[in-house]
Amino acid sequence: MSDLIETIESGIATLTFNRPERMNALSTSIMQGLLDGLPRLAGDPAVKVVVLTGAGRAFCAGGDVKSMAEGAGEQRSAAEATAHLRSRMEVSRILHELPKPTIAMINGAAAGAGLALALACDLRSPVLRQGW
């Protein structure tokens, strides 16, 4: 199962963070999916708006700290570490500059980098659930 689910229906492209067991913490595959998918969706004439949301009870808890800690022993040069960090920050820039409206449908917690992604969208809307 993919960490990032893309659907397009009636001109609405929906990108769903799909790691509900980790409150949709940003994995490498989610970030790469956003880096690849957002520019492609921007150029697709059938897509009129891009929506970001999360599966389960959270929008996005931010970076996956557990996997970062597991990879802490990885040896990277300063240049490699800088390039990696800049590529992650690039997603917010792409969202902010996308020539189509972007909407963050916030269905729960939005923290750290997850909040940054929501704030980079043009509009933010809570997903109201029964009992809220």
Side-chain angles (χ1 to χ4, degrees), residues 29-54:
S29 63
I30 288 176
M31 295 304 290
Q32 193 58 54
L34 292 170
L35 283 168
D36 295 341
L38 290 169
R40 179 178 39 75
L41 293 170
D44 185 341
V47 173
K48 305 301 180 200
V49 64
V50 176
V51 175
L52 295 184
T53 194

Side-chain angles (χ1 to χ4, degrees), residues 74-84:
E74 244 179 72
Q75 294 299 316
R76 285 188 182 162
S77 70
E80 289 170 330
T82 300
H84 179 73

Side-chain angles (χ1 to χ4, degrees), residues 26-112:
L26 295 169
S27 64
T28 300
S29 63
I30 288 176
M31 295 304 290
Q32 193 58 54
L34 292 170
L35 283 168
D36 295 341
L38 290 169
R40 179 178 39 75
L41 293 170
D44 185 341
V47 173
K48 305 301 180 200
V49 64
V50 176
V51 175
L52 295 184
T53 194
R57 63 188 179 98
F59 176 75
C60 179
D64 189 347
V65 179
K66 185 175 180 181
S67 70
M68 288 179 208
E70 290 168 356
E74 244 179 72
Q75 294 299 316
R76 285 188 182 162
S77 70
E80 289 170 330
T82 300
H84 179 73
L85 180 59
R86 283 192 176 142
S87 73
R88 290 186 167 260
M89 294 183 333
E90 185 72 4
V91 174
S92 292
R93 186 194 62 75
I94 292 169
L95 274 170
H96 179 70
E97 295 178 357
L98 209 73
K100 297 179 181 184
T102 54
I103 302 171
M105 295 297 292
I106 303 170
N107 57 309

